Amino acid sequence: MSDPLQAPRGTFDILPEQAPLRLTVEKVTRAVLEGAGYERIETPTFEATELFTRSVGEATDIVQKEMYTFTDGGERSLTLRPEVTAPIVRSYLQHGMHKLPQPVKLWYLSSCFRYERAQKGRYRQFWQIGAEAIGSDDPAVDAESIALLAEILEQLGVQGLQLRVGSLGGSAARERYRELLKTHLRANEDQLAEDVKARIDLNPLRAFDSADESTRAVMATAPLLLDHLDKEDLDHFAQLRLLLDAIDLPYVIDPTLVRGLDYYARTVFEFSSDALGAQSGVGGGGRYDGLAEQIDGPPTPGFGWAAGIERILLAAEGLPEPEPLTVLFVAIGDDDPATRAAGFALSTDARRAGIPTQIELAGRSIKGQYKHADRLGARFVATVSGAGVELKDFESGDSTAFDDRDAALAAVLRGKGVA
Ligand code: AMP
């Protein structure tokens, strides 16, 4: 039974008291990324289902059981985006962005939808900030992108961060390695968890993600992809590490780092935080040089990451408290329609003059209006009555009477330094 008075399971309202913190995340992200030449992009909330089945991968959890897919009135299969990289690569290809200077650097703040087991830090609609650099396979792209996410997380005060990096190599090496791994898994099949066993052929690498103890013991002796990479991929990975070392960004190499999306090749990375519980991943990403071809585009290298805003906020400390915005509160001294109209006109004049202003809207007593203005954090209260305007400055405690609105507003502007 669905309850119309409850938001759906795994979703949440962003209430006004949370909005300022989220705005801080957006502002810091924007400043860091746009400072490095990234530009904002926003793609539609839904896309053709095939975009995700082809890119994220048929064998992934996301495609197999987490997508919100529906058929529209025109019998098209559409899916609420479970991630934003594939839509952005689609947009890059659709709009011929290969003609722009490469790499094209884009950032976003978008909601994503996954039918997951809802718990703290894991929701069915959640928000991601993310960055994509498309059109270059230079390892400097990888290093710079990782460094920018590190900078954002640091500026936001995310606690207990750890960075893990790995390389998945190119598709040929990965194919060879998959066969090796399958052989190892088959040889130990009786000790594997059922879901791992069922996916030996489909997605053997995900076995490294299993929480099952006996599976983990099997994986401890499994061959590692990092030991089976081609020389070019090893060189690429070595150059990335050199660049991360050059900026003293601490990381550990994790040869078993597997991400839940199939399009990654070469570099993968993840930031986790020990300030979070079971859902410790704050953000991660990697290189996806084959993705464009998977969706019928020309070969186009790319690198990107996404970080969850809810996880960032759970792991962040010391984010600034929001400042009250309202400067002026217009109180209404009596019920006379002319007085009410004069107050209304004063509030509109004040806004036109650039003063953040609220006006009494609920018929409170004068005392109640003063209390309300204080609660809002207003610096001034202008009380309009038949004879004129009385301006109270909460900071100095002074009250001054003015004959007309303009003189009162001029005093507010002088007092607040609003120009
Ligand atoms: P992914 O696209 O799976 O690599 O996820 C990137 C980041 O998005 C993760 O590190 C989390 O911070 C966040 N994230 C992923 N799934 C969820 C979810 N169901 N609820 C909240 N945040 C999520």
Side-chain angles (χ1 to χ4, degrees):
M1 278 279 280
S2 59
D3 180 350
L5 287 181
Q6 292 283 327
R9 194 171 156 69
T11 70
F12 52 88
D13 299 310
I14 297 170
L15 296 170
E17 64 257 32
Q18 287 128 24
L21 285 181
R22 300 177 76 99
L23 187 60
T24 302
V25 174
E26 178 170 353
K27 279 186 180 162
V28 167
T29 304
R30 172 166 181 234
V32 171
L33 292 176
E34 294 194 358
Y38 281 72
E39 294 174 296
R40 176 105 187 226
I41 185 169
E42 199 63 55
T43 61
T45 305
F46 54 83
E47 296 271 354
T49 300
E50 218 180 311
L51 174 64
F52 301 113
T53 51
R54 288 221 223 160
S55 57
V56 173
E58 292 277 7
T60 58
D61 281 352
I62 292 180
V63 168
Q64 290 214 326
K65 48 187 188 201
E66 294 174 1
M67 296 206 302
Y68 283 91
T69 296
F70 60 97
T71 308
D72 75 356
E75 295 299 313
R76 295 172 201 90
S77 178
L78 300 171
T79 293
L80 299 184
R81 61 180 167 222
E83 62 99 52
V84 196
T85 301
I88 290 179
V89 173
R90 194 262 312 132
S91 180
Y92 172 99
L93 296 171
Q94 180 178 336
H95 297 286
M97 292 189 215
H98 63 279
K99 294 189 210 111
L100 303 171
Q102 306 293 298
V104 173
K105 296 183 284 186
L106 303 164
W107 77 275
Y108 60 86
L109 188 165
S110 307
S111 55
C112 294
F113 305 83
R114 294 182 194 172
Y115 185 71
E116 295 207 76
R117 216 153 31 82
Q119 54 187 283
K120 192 173 175 199
R122 195 200 237 173
Y123 310 100
R124 293 180 175 169
Q125 178 178 5
F126 56 97
W127 269 257
Q128 287 187 337
I129 51 167
E132 311 291 345
I134 308 175
S136 165
D137 65 3
D138 191 318
V141 171
D142 311 33
E144 179 186 68
S145 177
I146 295 172
L148 291 169
L149 178 54
E151 176 65 25
I152 291 168
L153 297 177
E154 186 181 330
Q155 284 193 25
L156 289 170
V158 177
Q159 303 293 302
L161 274 178
Q162 193 200 41
L163 168 61
R164 289 175 298 138
V165 299
S167 175
L168 302 177
S171 55
R174 208 160 50 249
E175 216 26 70
R176 285 198 305 275
Y177 169 74
R178 272 167 68 101
E179 293 309 316
L180 271 178
L181 185 60
K182 281 193 218 170
T183 309
H184 177 76
L185 292 173
R186 285 218 188 82
N188 297 281
E189 207 167 332
D190 52 336
Q191 293 164 62
L192 297 177
E194 283 307 317
D195 63 320
V196 174
K197 215 186 295 183
R199 281 192 302 191
I200 292 184
D201 282 316
L202 215 52
N203 199 350
L205 267 84
R206 285 308 296 262
F208 284 111
D209 265 357
S210 176
D212 173 67
E213 216 162 288
S214 144
T215 304
R216 292 179 80 87
V218 173
M219 298 322 286
T221 59
L224 295 174
L225 178 50
L226 262 186
D227 297 329
H228 294 86
L229 297 188
D230 289 337
K231 184 175 174 315
E232 278 176 13
D233 297 332
L234 280 173
D235 280 352
H236 194 275
F237 192 43
Q239 287 183 58
L240 165 68
R241 294 190 327 258
L242 193 76
L243 295 174
L244 294 179
D245 293 340
I247 56 168
D248 294 325
L249 187 65
Y251 61 88
V252 293
I253 294 173
D254 182 349
T256 67
L257 185 59
V258 184
R259 308 208 76 255
L261 304 105
D262 272 0
Y263 49 61
Y264 288 114
R266 292 191 162 173
T267 310
V268 283
F269 77 97
E270 193 158 288
F271 282 96
S272 52
S273 162
D274 58 23
L276 296 170
Q279 306 304 315
S280 63
V282 177
R287 186 160 273 292
Y288 45 81
D289 294 349
L291 200 168
E293 281 167 279
Q294 280 168 278
I295 57 171
D296 289 345
T300 313
F303 186 95
W305 51 256
I309 293 185
E310 295 74 36
R311 302 253 179 106
I312 289 176
L313 292 177
L314 282 170
E317 246 175 41
L319 280 176
E321 284 289 313
E323 293 252 327
L325 284 178
T326 303
V327 171
L328 174 66
F329 185 83
V330 178
I332 308 293
D334 59 57
D335 283 343
D336 174 38
T339 305
R340 293 169 60 87
F344 189 70
L346 175 62
S347 70
T348 305
D349 283 351
R351 290 187 190 126
R352 286 185 183 140
I355 302 164
T357 302
Q358 294 197 49
I359 183 170
E360 173 58 23
L361 293 172
R364 290 176 185 82
S365 69
I366 267 291
K367 201 169 149 218
Q369 294 184 54
Y370 265 73
K371 249 169 98 175
H372 188 52
D374 192 33
R375 198 161 44 220
L376 295 173
R379 157 108 185 250
F380 300 95
V381 179
T383 310
V384 180
S385 55
V389 180
E390 187 184 288
L391 188 67
K392 164 115 184 167
D393 182 342
F394 275 130
E395 208 167 280
S396 65
D398 297 342
S399 280
T400 319
F402 294 91
D403 293 340
D404 65 78
R405 304 204 294 260
D406 288 351
L409 289 182
V412 171
L413 288 169
R414 273 198 308 278
K416 184 63 186 163
V418 180

